[in-house]
Amino acid sequence: MHGGDRRRPEGSPDPHSAHGESWRAARLGTPPSHGWEPEPPPPTLSLPVTPPSRQGRDFSFDDCGRAFTCLPAEEPGAPAEALVCNLDSLLGTMTYRLCVGSPPGVWVCSTDMLLTVPSAPVIDWDGFQGVRVIAVPGSQAYARNHGVYLADEQGLVRDIIYKGTEAQIQQCAGPDGTVPLVCGVVFFSSDAAEQLLATHVIPPLDACTYLGLDSGAPPIQLSLFFDIVLCMAGAMTEEDFVKGGGDASVRSARSMLWTALRAFPLSMACISGASYDYMTTSASDHIRSLTLLPGSASHLHFCKTAHSHVDVCPCIPSLAHACFLGVALGCVARSQSHVPLCPWQQPCLLEDGSSVTNCLLEGAVQLAASSVIQHCHLQGPVEIGPGCLLSGIARGSSLALQGCPLRDVILQGHHVQLRDLPCRVFTLTGCLDDWQSPAEEATYLNVPWAEFFRRTGIREGDLWDAEMPQRSRCLLNARLFPVLHACEALGLEDVLWLLAPAAVASERLARWRTAWRMSWQELMPCLDKAAELGARRALFFLQGQRKVQRVLLGRQDSSLLPLTRSAIHEGYHEAMLGTLDEVASTTGDAGIAARALACIADVLGCMARGEGGLRSGPAANREWALAFGHLESGDIAGGVRELAAERQKWMSRPALLVRAARHYEGAEQILIRQAVMSSCQFVTVGQAELPPLGHWVQVACPARLDLSGGWSDTPPITYEHGGAVVDVAVLVDGCRPIGARVRRIREPELRLVSFSGTPQSEAAVELVCRELEHLQDYFQPHAPGALLKAAFICTQVVQFPSQKPLWAQLMESFGGGFEVHTWSKLPHGSGLAGTSSILAGAVMASLYRAAGKSASTESLIHAVLHLEQRLTTGGGWQDQVGGLVPGIKIGRSKAQLPLRVEVEKIPVPNGFIQTLNDHLVLVYTGKTRLARNLLQDVVRNWYARLPSAVQNADALVSNAEECAQALRQGNLPLIGKCLDRYWQQKKCMAPGCEPLAVGRMMDALRPYSYGQCLAGAGGGGFLYILTKGPRQKEALHQILAKTEGLGNFSIHSIEVDMGGISVEVVGCNPKDGAQPRRDVAV
């Protein structure tokens, strides 16, 4: 840049002083390579710069400055929820986009701009030396008021042209006609950075730092671009550069910079697809930057309403009422927008092209396009026309806006500290006003000052001292804004009257004149940034509380965990807990209340900050029994109150917090059980002939393979999201491996016998129950005979609890007691449901029949679902569907209560069953697993609505439908793809469910299979493989035998069972092979 005025007028890119805080030096050292994103922010370079009196230069649209101007954006994947300010955006852009792949050095970035960069910008660092400036392509028209780089064909910068002529700008244009705009980002190589830093202790450059000032040197202000970077431009001469420095001290500093930096080459990288907006003092430009949001090039999620609660239906007084209406009107339980619409829904109050950030808008707050509201709590009815910016208006103040339509105005509330007196001050300006233009040429509230004086009665002498020259009088120094009044409290109405017609204005003029007023220039040094940030934080969590209500009552698939982390970090956890208590106690919906309790458990768990032990664990401490009792009896409100009261005793240290979180999850399970028990209405029990005393009722069941969709059947996912699972009933090594038999005996007692293998093998557990008290541990899955005890209670063969003793119940109803034998040939934790749901189905089927009752297969499916909730294992419905219904089928449940499972048998091509038998191989991995801990984690993640859990639930259901279609077609390769995809989905739902040895096994078998998957929840048990070739059992055995690190494994034959469950009444001694007396299809 040769000659001319190098001063930067307002409204153009800032060259920036070396002692201003508008520049950030970031990333000294090697930046992240492509594909790696570090968790912590990049390290920063600390310089002993002189601290300014305020953040950068003055910015009239945000009291915290340009760097902390909030953007209408959210970061859905962020671990903690927070407002997104410009500095956040720039740090993200620098760290994860521009810095990636650069050599060691120092990045410097202005915070006076909004910068947008593509996700993978192309910057060639091969052979780089010296300093590199980053440019963005822009139009030649835009460049007339900004800076552009003149570069040669090798990308070396020849000059920096600021507000150049048309010919100068045309000289910088590329083939596409765009020019490389100065965007405020510079990279110094480590050599260049060290050379520059070495100058900060040498006079006169030390005067840019506090070291020089503390040594008595007068301060020097230098520009990054026009004093530091410009000296390295190729076309610049030493004489022109030094002479352009103004006074002697700056010329001396420039001479030193020339000596230190001239040898370094200055190159340019112009980022295709990037853009930037300089944050000027033009209100219309600022509003445009917040409403015309960038597109896909940004790494942020821009939205019309960011971190805000907006009443969507003003005619409904509360969200709870809205949810009630939604149910009454038949609204879908699960959708993208979970807030039901009412038939009187008004048109959308927020027009497209408007922007709302960190706000709470209650009632009918109408916002026109091209208008912005930030950090406001407004109570409607309020009408805001186009071209407006409102900021910092509290609810009490917003009442003055009712009946006062706004258009093309900037209305702001400020926190001001006048010595020891904090106060609120409101400012009002026009969208088209210029702060510094002389009043005789400028406007106020978008009209000439003369017209404003005529309408309001205000005189020039009210605003400016008489001795102030006419050309110096401007909006910036006009004492317009009331601060204090001797007799009355001031409010928003004390500036809004400036918009009023003359008849109204005359009533307010006297009050305005008697108030102590300040100009914006006088107010700026008094702005209380700490109070402003505190108010924004309080409003953020107030709207966050409304978000909690909105998400829970609206059944939205939004995660509250990021907001929870923020609330704990900022000390708002008590408010969060109070809101969750209110939702849980007032909803009247067990499903919503259960999720609210799960969220409370998350708050308590997060408060422990990773200490205090594991989240999963027991939850039966007697101190919580009273609260649990209320919930068990259906008194949700009373239970929530007792939980909250007990919670206060467990808040003092991490170990107690974690234990309290476990008990809240225990309370949540009570409500899940109650929701699932709604399925009992689909259990129909009829009467049948009572078998003779001593005659056995014997039931045999196949195992099941889940081919896709598992986990989507698990409560609460199954009734909040909807589930679909493809199952196959299978024989293992040619037999049905699971069974039970029951007979009536003369003694009024319950004899419970569990065999480890077949009915003829040695008993593993034998138990006799003669008192009701012997059944009281039925809900503890690891207690002896727990499943059998729960089966007696759920089939209502025994009433528990009851005032009538056990012996009396048995004698009165059945003339004696019962003996039950169960067995499973499958190992514990096999994943084939050998010791869980199918066994429960076998026991219940035999009990019903032995007690003279009958139940359909559909009834048994729902009865087992009920039993597992009573047993507190909390399982889903896929196991009993797979083992009780013959052949290949898909079970489905809708996202609603009562929970009902519907089963569709899948028709397959002729001969395909045999084909499937030939290509299925079962491998026992030798690793057992217990699904309970996995289940706790899955339910916890679902209730937290982690995005991965929600997306995976969608994928599970869609994969199940695709698998069912592949089976209808008899397409083995497509079925195999579904199996592989299903296994990846299982691992996503329950991380850690693939043991190392199983991974080795699957790797070894992958070349020979279309697909493979662990049965059940994973973690071990059986692996089933769909082989490419038929009858590969022996071949696979040889492959695995040669694979190291597998341990004990075994290979089993498997075939589809088209018969399903069998129920038969046999003689007194089934060992003698007597023919069954009756064969009953259940």
Side-chain angles (χ1 to χ4, degrees):
M1 178 172 171
H2 304 286
D5 184 5
R6 301 193 195 280
R7 293 175 298 170
R8 186 199 65 83
E10 189 61 54
S12 60
D14 180 20
H16 303 284
S17 66
H19 67 261
E21 283 193 59
S22 296
W23 287 84
R24 302 292 185 268
R27 195 91 210 151
L28 180 61
T30 304
S33 60
H34 287 283
W36 178 74
E37 293 186 354
E39 279 295 321
T44 58
L45 173 67
S46 298
L47 298 177
V49 297
T50 305
S53 60
R54 51 184 177 267
Q55 292 277 336
R57 292 174 319 287
D58 304 326
F59 188 55
S60 53
F61 308 120
D62 197 297
D63 290 357
C64 297
R66 289 174 170 87
F68 294 99
T69 295
C70 288
L71 304 180
E74 296 182 353
E75 296 181 279
E81 188 167 326
L83 299 176
V84 178
C85 67
N86 188 34
L87 182 58
D88 296 318
S89 175
L90 290 171
L91 284 173
T93 297
M94 296 298 298
T95 304
Y96 302 129
R97 300 197 174 188
L98 287 178
C99 292
V100 175
S102 69
V106 177
W107 283 92
V108 183
C109 178
S110 167
T111 60
D112 286 5
M113 62 174 176
L114 301 172
L115 181 64
T116 303
V117 174
S119 59
V122 179
I123 304 177
D124 184 8
W125 295 102
D126 290 342
F128 166 76
Q129 291 181 329
V131 177
R132 175 162 290 175
V133 292
I134 302 298
V136 300
S139 68
Q140 296 183 37
Y142 187 83
R144 290 172 190 152
N145 291 313
H146 295 270
V148 294
Y149 294 112
L150 175 63
D152 61 20
E153 294 181 354
Q154 286 73 41
L156 295 175
V157 176
R158 307 245 337 130
D159 200 356
I160 304 175
I161 298 174
Y162 172 68
K163 295 187 75 171
T165 64
E166 186 173 343
Q168 286 176 313
I169 294 174
Q170 177 63 39
Q171 189 181 6
C172 302
D176 60 355
T178 62
V179 293
L181 299 173
V182 177
C183 77
V185 180
V186 184
F187 176 73
F188 292 84
S189 67
S190 55
D191 291 340
E194 289 173 5
Q195 191 70 18
L196 176 61
L197 292 177
T199 66
H200 84 274
V201 294
I202 305 174
L205 288 174
D206 65 340
C208 294
T209 74
Y210 66 77
L211 297 177
L213 296 186
D214 290 352
S215 300
I220 295 179
Q221 179 170 322
L222 295 179
S223 162
L224 174 68
F225 284 104
F226 298 120
D227 290 313
I228 298 176
V229 174
L230 186 62
C231 73
M232 293 173 278
M236 181 61 59
T237 66
E238 182 176 8
E239 181 180 1
D240 287 340
F241 178 70
V242 174
K243 285 183 178 179
D247 59 38
S249 61
V250 174
R251 288 196 297 272
S252 176
R254 281 186 160 217
S255 178
M256 182 174 294
L257 288 171
W258 181 275
T259 301
L261 300 177
R262 179 61 185 178
F264 292 103
L266 178 63
S267 59
M268 178 194 74
C270 189
I271 309 300
S272 177
S275 65
Y276 93 110
D277 289 303
Y278 177 70
M279 301 174 73
T280 72
T281 57
S282 165
S284 57
D285 286 349
H286 185 62
I287 291 173
R288 189 180 304 113
S289 69
L290 295 179
T291 53
L292 298 179
L293 305 173
S296 59
S298 174
H299 64 283
L300 297 172
H301 173 63
F302 287 91
C303 44
K304 183 164 68 174
T305 55
H307 301 294
S308 297
H309 173 81
V310 180
D311 281 354
V312 296
C313 188
C315 56
I316 293 180
S318 70
L319 193 56
H321 189 200
C323 290
F324 170 77
L325 284 177
V327 174
L329 295 168
C331 294
V332 178
R334 181 179 179 271
S335 64
Q336 291 301 311
S337 177
H338 298 275
V339 181
L341 301 179
C342 77
W344 311 281
Q345 174 72 61
Q346 295 186 4
C348 181
L349 300 179
L350 307 181
E351 294 184 7
D352 290 340
S354 62
S355 172
V356 179
T357 303
N358 194 34
C359 289
L360 185 53
L361 307 184
E362 300 175 311
V365 178
Q366 300 183 52
L367 183 63
S370 302
S371 284
V372 175
I373 309 179
Q374 292 193 328
H375 317 302
C376 291
H377 185 177
L378 304 183
Q379 175 66 55
V382 172
E383 182 180 346
I384 302 169
C388 293
L389 169 64
L390 270 67
S391 178
I393 309 300
R395 188 176 187 273
S397 301
S398 74
L399 299 177
L401 293 173
Q402 297 180 2
C404 180
L406 302 177
R407 185 185 182 92
D408 295 325
V409 295
I410 313 301
L411 179 60
Q412 297 172 279
H414 310 273
H415 291 270
V416 174
Q417 186 76 22
L418 302 174
R419 293 190 179 178
D420 296 331
L421 178 64
C423 59
R424 292 279 286 159
V425 177
F426 298 95
T427 59
L428 178 68
T429 57
C431 182
L432 305 178
D433 297 343
D434 185 275
W435 285 100
Q436 294 180 310
S437 296
E440 56 193 18
E441 303 171 0
T443 63
Y444 178 57
L445 295 178
N446 308 312
V447 299
W449 279 98
E451 180 181 332
F452 171 74
F453 290 147
R454 283 194 302 272
R455 179 170 55 79
T456 61
I458 294 175
R459 299 185 294 267
E460 285 194 54
D462 294 324
L463 303 180
W464 299 286
D465 295 335
E467 59 271 17
M468 179 176 287
Q470 282 290 333
R471 297 292 296 176
S472 299
R473 298 180 180 186
C474 62
L475 175 57
L476 185 64
N477 53 36
R479 296 190 180 96
L480 276 163
F481 310 118
V483 178
L484 294 172
H485 194 280
C487 303
E488 303 176 73
L490 298 176
L492 191 57
E493 61 275 10
D494 291 292
V495 294
L496 287 176
W497 77 274
L498 299 174
L499 292 168
V504 177
S506 60
E507 302 174 5
R508 287 281 182 176
L509 180 59
R511 173 184 167 96
W512 178 85
R513 280 201 171 113
T514 55
W516 179 39
R517 304 182 309 280
M518 298 176 71
S519 68
W520 179 241
Q521 189 175 49
E522 294 168 329
L523 280 170
M524 281 189 292
C526 303
L527 295 176
D528 189 340
K529 294 181 176 61
E532 175 62 28
L533 291 173
R536 293 181 184 183
R537 179 170 56 242
L539 182 57
F540 174 81
F541 287 109
L542 183 59
Q543 68 81 26
Q545 290 174 253
R546 299 298 180 88
K547 176 182 178 177
V548 170
Q549 296 173 328
R550 182 175 72 247
V551 167
L552 295 181
L553 295 174
R555 298 181 173 89
Q556 295 181 11
D557 285 342
S558 300
S559 178
L560 295 175
L561 203 53
L563 180 62
T564 295
R565 296 189 183 107
S566 295
I568 293 168
H569 182 75
E570 298 289 346
Y572 281 81
H573 53 275
E574 287 293 347
M576 186 90 166
L577 289 170
T579 301
L580 291 168
D581 286 337
E582 181 182 3
V583 170
S585 61
T586 60
T587 173
D589 183 300
I592 293 174
R595 185 179 175 190
L597 296 182
C599 290
I600 293 176
D602 281 338
V603 174
L604 299 174
C606 289
M607 287 177 66
R609 302 183 186 276
E611 302 177 9
L614 298 175
R615 278 286 299 274
S616 298
N621 189 291
R622 294 181 181 180
E623 299 297 323
W624 299 83
L626 178 60
F628 283 14
H630 281 284
L631 297 177
E632 292 281 10
S633 67
D635 180 11
I636 295 178
V640 172
R641 285 194 301 270
E642 290 297 335
L643 286 169
E646 184 62 31
R647 180 179 71 218
Q648 295 304 316
K649 308 172 187 176
W650 298 66
M651 305 283 283
S652 59
R653 62 181 188 271
L656 293 179
L657 286 166
V658 170
R659 290 167 64 192
R662 292 174 188 160
H663 283 81
Y664 263 94
E665 290 185 343
E668 145 216 318
Q669 287 296 324
I670 294 173
L671 298 184
I672 291 176
R673 290 200 296 274
Q674 293 178 349
V676 174
M677 286 178 190
S678 64
S679 63
C680 289
Q681 61 187 272
F682 305 114
V683 177
T684 303
V685 179
Q687 293 298 315
E689 180 184 355
L690 188 68
L693 192 70
H695 282 231
W696 291 98
V697 175
Q698 186 158 302
V699 175
C701 296
R704 70 93 182 90
L705 288 182
D706 53 318
L707 300 187
S708 56
W711 284 121
S712 72
D713 66 304
T714 303
I717 300 173
T718 189
Y719 60 77
E720 292 185 350
H721 175 278
V725 182
V726 175
D727 272 317
V728 182
V730 294
L731 305 178
V732 179
D733 293 331
C735 70
R736 293 173 180 154
I738 303 159
R741 64 184 185 187
V742 180
R743 67 175 177 179
R744 289 190 299 122
I745 57 178
R746 297 188 184 279
E747 296 80 3
E749 61 188 22
L750 306 179
R751 298 177 187 169
L752 312 179
V753 183
S754 297
F755 294 94
S756 58
T758 66
Q760 289 75 32
S761 62
E762 185 177 344
V765 178
E766 188 168 355
L767 193 66
V768 177
C769 300
R770 297 186 176 90
E771 307 289 342
L772 280 179
E773 290 75 11
H774 296 162
L775 303 180
Q776 63 185 1
D777 59 353
Y778 74 92
F779 59 87
Q780 299 177 11
H782 300 293
L787 186 148
L788 303 183
K789 296 173 184 177
F792 275 100
I793 294 170
C794 291
T795 56
Q796 297 185 349
V797 171
V798 173
Q799 301 297 321
F800 182 89
S802 174
Q803 296 297 320
K804 187 177 294 185
L806 176 61
W807 66 268
Q809 293 186 42
L810 294 174
M811 291 303 295
E812 182 178 310
S813 300
F814 305 105
F818 290 89
E819 182 176 352
V820 182
H821 294 184
T822 63
W823 62 91
S824 172
K825 299 178 182 179
L826 302 173
H828 178 67
S830 66
L832 294 181
T835 56
S836 52
S837 305
I838 298 178
L839 183 59
V843 172
M844 296 187 84
S846 58
L847 265 180
Y848 277 133
R849 187 65 188 88
K853 301 177 182 180
S854 64
S856 66
T857 302
E858 180 186 11
S859 294
L860 274 180
I861 290 170
H862 293 90
V864 172
L865 194 59
H866 174 214
L867 180 145
E868 290 207 315
Q869 293 303 315
R870 296 291 295 269
L871 190 61
T872 71
T873 52
W877 45 257
Q878 63 146 312
D879 295 346
Q880 56 265 39
V881 168
L884 302 182
V885 180
I888 307 171
K889 57 272 175 181
I890 181 170
R892 298 184 181 93
S893 63
K894 296 178 181 178
Q896 65 183 33
L897 290 174
L899 173 59
R900 183 170 191 173
V901 183
E902 298 175 314
V903 182
E904 173 194 348
K905 293 186 178 180
I906 299 175
V908 297
N910 290 335
F912 181 70
I913 294 296
Q914 184 57 49
T915 300
L916 196 59
N917 292 340
D918 290 341
H919 287 263
L920 274 175
V921 176
L922 195 63
V923 179
Y924 182 62
T925 64
K927 307 293 181 182
T928 60
R929 62 102 187 100
L930 180 63
R932 183 176 174 83
N933 288 339
L934 294 177
L935 178 63
Q936 288 178 328
D937 292 339
V938 168
V939 172
R940 184 180 302 127
N941 292 341
W942 171 254
Y943 268 139
R945 289 306 194 273
L946 297 185
S948 59
V950 175
Q951 294 164 10
N952 203 42
D954 292 337
L956 283 165
V957 172
S958 63
N959 189 54
E961 298 293 348
E962 185 174 340
C963 183
Q965 186 60 28
L967 286 162
R968 294 185 189 100
Q969 299 169 359
N971 189 330
L972 287 179
L974 184 54
I975 296 169
K977 288 182 180 179
C978 292
L979 292 184
D980 283 340
R981 191 182 304 130
Y982 181 34
W983 179 235
Q984 297 305 316
Q985 292 164 353
K986 283 186 179 183
K987 291 195 291 184
C988 177
M989 191 64 86
C993 66
E994 182 181 281
L996 185 60
V998 173
R1000 291 196 193 101
M1001 186 177 292
M1002 297 179 82
D1003 289 341
L1005 298 177
R1006 188 164 287 113
Y1008 310 95
S1009 69
Y1010 286 126
Q1012 52 188 328
C1013 185
L1014 278 178
F1022 278 103
L1023 171 70
Y1024 55 94
I1025 304 100
L1026 187 65
T1027 62
K1028 293 178 179 178
R1031 296 175 292 280
Q1032 295 292 300
K1033 179 179 176 181
E1034 294 303 324
L1036 295 190
H1037 190 281
Q1038 293 178 14
I1039 293 168
L1040 294 179
K1042 298 176 182 178
T1043 305
E1044 296 182 358
L1046 298 188
N1048 296 322
F1049 69 91
S1050 56
I1051 296 186
H1052 303 264
S1053 63
I1054 188 171
E1055 56 186 287
V1056 179
D1057 182 6
M1058 301 302 293
I1061 184 175
S1062 67
V1063 181
E1064 55 187 9
V1065 179
V1066 298
C1068 297
N1069 185 10
K1071 294 182 181 180
D1072 58 15
Q1075 293 295 319
R1077 176 174 172 181
R1078 179 170 304 190
D1079 196 325
V1080 182
V1082 180

